[in-house]
Amino acid sequence: YLESTPNELIYIAHNGSINKERLGRELGINAERMVDSELIGKYIALNGLSEGTLKKLKPYVKEGSALNLLILRIPRNVSEPPRIYYYNHINHGEDEEHKNDNTEYYKLYYRRYNNGIAVFSSSLASPKLNKPCKADGTVEEDKLTDLEELIK
């Protein structure tokens, strides 16, 4: 999904499920024909890309689901470089019906390579696949991270 502001372009890839009706009301938008990634993009464009903004989205994440984001931010100011960020939040749920059901599914992993790094979902790290991706570790939950930080 793409969202734009006078200062930047924001591309978002999202996995998880949010209560889009509640978030739509918060934004003053009828969310009936919108996808949740679109609403997340609008929220970020309105409030700025920051860890604080993403933490304010946490109450909208459905129990047993996640707010997994990969974000490409391209500033319109050519002196600022584009940046790639990722964010992993899992709503583990408080009731026993949903608690931790999908924790393993919604984990994000990373792998360092000689000339780069990859952040990927558990679907690619699963040993049930014929050729799973080998992960170096899991990403820190509830932290907006610039991909450059993992490269260091």
Side-chain angles (χ1 to χ4, degrees):
Y1 176 75
L2 164 67
E3 188 65 49
S4 65
T5 73
N7 299 318
E8 63 191 355
L9 299 175
I10 305 168
Y11 292 87
I12 297 175
H14 165 244
N15 185 30
S17 185
I18 65 163
N19 185 322
K20 66 179 196 167
E21 290 77 19
R22 279 187 52 221
L23 184 54
R25 280 195 304 273
E26 170 76 20
L27 294 167
I29 297 172
N30 179 350
E32 185 178 349
R33 290 192 166 91
M34 299 177 89
V35 296
D36 50 6
S37 299
E38 188 173 2
L39 292 165
I40 291 166
K42 290 184 181 312
Y43 190 88
I44 292 170
L46 183 65
N47 295 288
L49 177 59
S50 71
E51 192 168 300
T53 295
L54 298 181
K55 286 185 178 190
K56 289 177 185 172
L57 283 170
K58 288 167 47 172
Y60 300 99
V61 178
K62 292 182 178 178
E63 283 194 11
S65 191
L67 180 66
N68 284 344
L69 299 169
L70 185 64
I71 302 168
L72 170 61
R73 179 183 174 267
I74 304 174
R76 293 185 190 267
N77 180 343
V78 295
S79 66
E80 293 181 57
R83 303 304 251 183
I84 297 175
Y85 301 89
Y86 61 87
Y87 183 79
N88 172 239
H89 167 73
I90 302 169
N91 182 344
H92 299 282
E94 294 185 21
D95 67 41
E96 290 303 314
E97 181 183 343
H98 296 98
K99 194 171 185 89
N100 295 323
D101 280 353
N102 296 315
T103 297
E104 290 301 315
Y105 173 77
Y106 284 117
K107 281 184 181 177
L108 289 181
Y109 296 84
Y110 68 89
R111 171 82 192 261
R112 288 185 175 91
Y113 295 93
N114 290 337
N115 57 351
I117 193 156
V119 174
F120 49 93
S121 72
S122 64
S123 302
L124 296 175
S126 171
K128 295 177 183 176
L129 296 174
N130 291 334
K131 296 182 179 181
C133 291
K134 183 179 181 308
D136 292 330
T138 58
V139 305
E140 186 176 342
E141 200 173 326
D142 292 320
K143 181 180 179 204
L144 177 64
T145 306
D146 187 326
L147 196 60
E148 291 286 324
E149 289 181 33
L150 272 181
I151 294 172
K152 297 175 185 175

